[in-house]
Every structure is written in C-alpha cells, then in structure tokens.
Amino acid sequence: MAAASFADSVPDLTGRLAIITGANSGLGFGLTGRLARAGAEVILAVRSAEKGTAAAERVRSELPGAKLDVRVLDLASLDSIAAFATTVASDGRPVDILINNAGVMAPPKRMTTADGFELQFGSNHLGPFALTAQLLPALRSAEKP
C-alpha cells in the first residue's frame, strides 16, 4: 500500500486564516501554495512587499482563486512585529494557523536587529516569539478543529 502524500494529509481549510512568515520563497512559498490549495486564506508575512507580491502572483498563476494577502513583517524589528500584529488584530478575525518559517542563517559578519540583538538570534528566536505572543488572542479565538 502506498503512503499518503502530503496533499492527501491536508484537510479542507476553507474559511481558515493562516499566516506564514517568509512566505515569498523556499518552504514558506511551498506552504503558501499548499494551504491556499486547501482553501485557506493566507497572509504572506514578508520583509519585502515587492517579493511578497511576486510570490502571490506566482501562486495565483496556478491557483487563480487563491485568497492571498501580502503584509510587511520584519522579524528583526519589534516595532515591525507590533505593527503587523496590530493590523491582524484590527481585522477582527481569529488566526487558525501560524507558521513561523522565516529566518536568517549564518550572516557573514556580526549584525544586529533594529533593537540591538544579534541578528540570527533576534530574527530566528526573539522575533517569532514576540510575534506569537502578540497574536495569541487571535490564535486562541480560533475555532478548534
């Protein structure tokens, strides 16, 4: 018996809201397409609006009915995280899925976030923690499957 594919294991997500950080490339881009194909509305949380818009257009070229929203989020900035979380909260919708995917790997020299933390630690750990904490009310209000 053949193993179930990933496509078979994703349930119908119609009416669900997902946020994916780093959704314009790599794993985040692949997950954006897969969740949109399952019917989810996906917020592409990206540092570059231009790259996010291009990614959304690529998904829509294969899935014209995809419900995608590109929003700027820089996980290396607590101000950006707070602004992003505020816009999500102002939408007044529960967040069903949060995928903290974005990250940086081995910067060539020591760099820091806008708040003075080492870049890799700030972007890969502190930023996603702060984002999750600020989105907790919207995550907790999501209907349980």
Side-chain angles (χ1 to χ4, degrees):
M1 184 163 134
S5 73
F6 179 66
D8 295 334
S9 65
V10 177
D12 179 21
L13 297 174
T14 302
R16 303 289 183 159
L17 178 63
I19 297 173
I20 303 175
T21 66
N24 62 292
S25 65
L27 183 59
F29 178 73
L31 288 167
T32 296
R34 184 61 199 105
L35 296 184
R37 196 169 291 108
E41 179 179 340
V42 181
I43 296 176
L44 290 79
V46 296
R47 282 184 301 178
S48 165
E50 182 179 302
K51 289 180 180 179
T53 299
E57 289 172 2
R58 284 187 310 210
V59 171
R60 285 190 187 108
S61 71
E62 293 183 26
L63 192 64
K67 296 176 184 166
L68 307 172
D69 183 11
V70 176
R71 298 192 192 182
V72 174
L73 170 65
D74 183 355
L75 290 169
S77 165
L78 294 175
D79 287 341
S80 177
I81 293 165
F84 178 86
T86 298
T87 65
V88 171
S90 71
D91 292 343
R93 292 186 58 194
V95 174
D96 299 284
I97 300 167
L98 171 61
I99 299 176
N100 283 312
N101 165 71
V104 297
M105 182 62 188
K109 62 180 183 167
R110 186 180 194 287
M111 300 170 70
T112 58
T113 67
D115 305 291
F117 302 107
E118 188 277 323
L119 181 64
Q120 187 168 329
F121 180 65
S123 295
N124 297 3
H125 299 282
L126 300 177
F129 180 85
L131 176 64
T132 302
Q134 292 187 40
L135 293 176
L136 265 180
L139 288 160
R140 286 184 171 149
S141 69
E143 182 180 311
K144 306 295 185 262

